[in-house]
Amino acid sequence: MTVRVRIAPSPTGNLHIGTARTAVFNWLFAHHHGGTFVLRVEDTDLERSKPEYTENIKTGLQWLGLHWDEGPFFQTQRLDQYKAAIQTLLDQGLAYRCYCTPAELEAMREQQKANNQAPRYDNRHRNLTEAQRAEFEAQGRKPVIRFKIDDAQQIVWQDLIRGTMTWKGSDLGGDMVIARTPEGNESFGQPLYNLAVVVDDIDMQISHVIRGEDHIANTAKQILLYEALGAAVPQFAHTPLILNQEGRKLSKRDGVTSIDDFRQMGFLPQAIANYMSLLGWTPTDSTQEIFTLEEAAKEFSLERVNKAGAKFDWDKLDWINAQYLHKMPIPALTDLLIPYLQAAGYGDYLGDRPWLESLITLVAPSLTRLADVTQETRLLFGDSITLDEKATAQLQTEGVKAILQEVLQNIQTSTDFTPDEAKALINQVTKAHGVKKGVVMKSMRAGLMGELQGPDLMQSWVLLHQKGWDIERLNQAIASI
Ligand code: GLU
């Protein structure tokens, strides 16, 4: 079997999570079968399509590792092919010009509503005489092209995810518009979605159409077009929708829109691609949750894609992202984190690479998303501290000033120390002051960091000491007592 699949985004917005997940499934399917993954840009909606969205979609797919083998093809560059197909359908009497005005169509709908009927086109211009046609033309009416749909037929296909699907011709809304005549254009120039998709999928020899279940209603119409154009019908697989935790379709209100948003939040592309592959698909070993796209492709099959909607689970995505972050080599992770630190205003502190990598080593295990680095490192930059309420209270505790003074004396001259040496010094001061070790630790944390919670104290201290910031900070703390 020669597998050729495609992702066919409309560039009317940035790369959306739903499109990206469809791209993942297509990519996995293509790679599983050694097939071809095609990128086609469905840009026939001239008003809403924008080149920057096309760029965003291409960059987003590449960022996720979803490289395409052919394309991008653009529908706006294929208008001749659509025209030829429309002409074929007209010539064979399978399509015709309909001259109904918007007002007439509206009146038809009102009438149907009043009769409690579903809105549909009543095929009234299917059999116009030459004379009638000439009369409408003379009135200056602009026709649309409609494709004939036989109400009595049934359309059946074996959906590779949903099983047997059956549609009645009578449920397709009457003869469907496949092209419009734009203002100022004398011939039909604007093919509509269903026609363009079918012509493309025929020309691009697409073997499997894997797309969101919101396209199921189009599939029945498209199958009729394949048949009318004398082409083989591809296999269809309609993937489940991505739902929010309440079970409704994931939308902007859920705080997710584009793949860009995920990138900015600090998710790694490998983690998102990994998570998206699990949005609806289950590997044979369902306990296996971390895999690369290549690993997933080895065992990907549409039979293991669920029919039910896939709930988007932020906790799971966070967990997967953390797995990837924690496994990443520190130099690579540091490179990824630098932009976040710069954006947070820490640019001045990032020049000393070995020190920075030690800092990242310290905070890496606490990171879930890259953006967390700002929060996790904020107490470790610079020579001054802001004492919060609890730290202030700790410093005011009896005896703390003397403890900090003694620590300070001991570190003035040492150029460098290890966490163990720092610990030994704490033990020494604890003994000398006859207090509990916790008191010394808590006071040190207050004096060094300004807060009582934070990263490992000894390691933080060592990092601060390498810059001489511990001395400055302890001096400030002591002065505040
Ligand atoms: N352009 C369509 C969309 O963005 C996809 C069409 C298809 O996959 O057949 O929803």
Side-chain angles (χ1 to χ4, degrees), residues 6 8-10 40 42 193 197 209 211 215 222:
R6 81 308 194 270
S10 304
R40 180 170 79 227
E42 305 207 320
Y193 162 72
V197 164
V209 172
R211 61 183 170 196
H215 284 289
Q222 291 176 12

Side-chain angles (χ1 to χ4, degrees), residues 21-79:
R21 200 276 308 257
T22 304
V24 168
F25 282 10
N26 275 283
W27 190 98
L28 294 176
F29 189 75
H31 281 249
H32 181 83
H33 293 282
T36 302
F37 176 50
V38 177
L39 171 59
R40 180 170 79 227
V41 180
E42 305 207 320
D43 57 349
T44 46
D45 182 342
L46 299 178
E47 261 161 46
R48 292 171 59 224
S49 296
K50 295 213 166 74
E52 55 266 37
Y53 293 141
T54 300
E55 270 322 297
N56 179 280
I57 290 166
K58 281 163 56 186
T59 316
L61 290 174
Q62 269 157 344
W63 183 68
L64 290 167
L66 302 169
H67 304 287
W68 52 93
D69 306 305
E70 285 181 20
F73 300 110
F74 292 87
Q75 288 192 324
T76 43
Q77 292 170 10
R78 294 181 35 78
L79 295 178

Side-chain angles (χ1 to χ4, degrees), residues 79-144:
L79 295 178
D80 288 347
Q81 278 84 342
Y82 309 136
K83 279 189 191 167
I86 293 163
Q87 194 58 56
T88 305
L89 295 173
L90 284 169
D91 292 347
Q92 294 180 348
L94 299 173
Y96 61 90
R97 288 179 169 78
C98 162
Y99 292 89
C100 289
T101 62
E104 285 168 350
L105 293 172
E106 187 51 34
M108 189 190 309
R109 250 172 252 131
E110 286 304 318
Q111 186 65 49
Q112 286 160 344
K113 229 199 225 157
N115 297 342
N116 268 334
Q117 291 165 332
R120 70 196 312 270
Y121 175 63
D122 63 6
N123 303 347
R124 62 176 64 171
H125 284 189
R126 200 190 252 200
N127 297 308
L128 293 180
T129 62
E130 268 314 317
Q132 286 170 315
R133 214 168 288 150
E135 166 65 19
F136 286 134
E137 293 277 348
Q139 288 171 10
R141 293 194 185 195
K142 295 276 179 235
V144 298

Side-chain angles (χ1 to χ4, degrees), residues 349 381-387 395 404 407-409 411-412 444 446-450 461 463-480:
Y349 304 118
F381 289 116
D383 57 11
S384 63
I385 42 164
T386 312
L387 298 168
L395 293 178
L404 295 189
V407 172
L408 190 57
Q409 265 166 23
I411 58 174
Q412 298 280 12
M444 280 301 289
L448 280 178
M449 317 284 273
W461 185 8
L463 284 168
L464 293 171
H465 188 69
Q466 285 167 0
K467 296 283 176 193
W469 295 338
D470 57 340
I471 295 172
E472 302 284 339
R473 290 178 181 204
L474 286 177
N475 269 320
Q476 281 171 42
I478 290 163
S480 78

Side-chain angles (χ1 to χ4, degrees), residues 85 135 271 286 325 427 468 474:
E135 166 65 19
S286 60
L325 275 183
N427 288 340
L474 286 177

Side-chain angles (χ1 to χ4, degrees), residues 410-423:
N410 279 283
I411 58 174
Q412 298 280 12
T413 51
S414 71
T415 48
D416 208 356
F417 55 66
T418 63
D420 282 344
E421 286 163 343
K423 239 180 252 165

